[in-house]
């Protein structure tokens, strides 16, 4: 059963925020000291997220995007990707990330079934990147993008 929005457009796409935490402190997003993070007891477990995605897939969702905060700071995120990649009906599993940890995880994420990443990047100037994110290094984000691009299954 495919659900439609009020304009009768089919709804195939679900975004899931897996954490409110982030390793950056972008000026337009957070105060310098960060925000009080939700307790782990108050966020969905991976098993609960899988249940939500299975139910959504049964309603016609085929595209799932993981977001945050920064999804790569949540412990065990590769395992969540593996769990969701196995859900019947989900054929496009992707992630939005700031890219700074992506070099470390790109291979494992791809092996687990992630198909696409979207890297949020505000500038290619190192000093400006530092000023906007308050603590990030542009070279880390670029290394993450390169790691994703180098992957054999990457679309050019
Ligand atoms: S990388 Fe994204 S989630 Fe993290 S502080 Fe910047 S805008 Fe917010």
């Amino acid at each position: 059963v495919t659900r439609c929005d009020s304009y009768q457009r089919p709804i195939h796409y679900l975004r899931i925020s897996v954490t409110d935490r982030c390793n950056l402190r972008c000026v337009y997003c957070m105060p310098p000291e960060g925000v009080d993070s939700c307790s782990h007891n108050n966020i969905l477990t991976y098993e609960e997220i899988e249940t939500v995605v299975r139910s959504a897939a049964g309603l016609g969702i085929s595209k799932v995007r993981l977001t945050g905060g920064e999804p790569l700071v949540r412990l065990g995120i590769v395992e969540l990707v593996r769990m969701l990649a196995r859900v019947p009906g989900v054929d496009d599993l992707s992630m939005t990330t700031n890219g700074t940890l992506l070099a470390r995880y790109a291979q494992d994420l791809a092996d687990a079934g992630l198909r696409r990443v979207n890297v949020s990047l505000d500038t290619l100037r190192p000093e400006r990147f530092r000023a906007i994110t308050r603590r990030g290094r542009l070279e880390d984000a670029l290394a993450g993008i390169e790691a994703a691009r180098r992957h054999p299954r990457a679309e050019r």
Side-chain angles (χ1 to χ4, degrees), residues 110-127:
D111 291 345
L114 196 76
R115 286 293 160 262
R116 296 187 294 124
V117 287
N118 168 235
V119 178
S120 307
L121 186 60
D122 292 315
T123 177
L124 289 173
R125 299 182 190 183
E127 328 72 56

Side-chain angles (χ1 to χ4, degrees), residues 22 24-26 28-30 69 98:
C22 186
L24 303 183
R25 295 286 180 272
C26 298
Y28 51 79
C29 178
M30 290 196 198
N98 63 38

Side-chain angles (χ1 to χ4, degrees), residues 45-92:
T45 66
Y46 287 163
E47 289 70 24
E48 289 168 338
I49 292 174
E50 183 188 23
T51 299
V52 169
V53 169
R54 282 187 186 277
S55 298
L59 296 172
I61 295 294
S62 58
K63 297 174 65 171
V64 175
R65 176 175 294 275
L66 304 178
T67 72
E70 168 51 47
L72 293 180
V73 303
R74 183 156 172 187
L75 207 61
I77 187 68
V78 173
E79 188 49 35
L80 176 66
V81 167
R82 202 182 322 279
M83 291 161 73
L84 300 186
R86 287 196 291 247
V87 173
V90 174
D91 54 25
D92 183 358

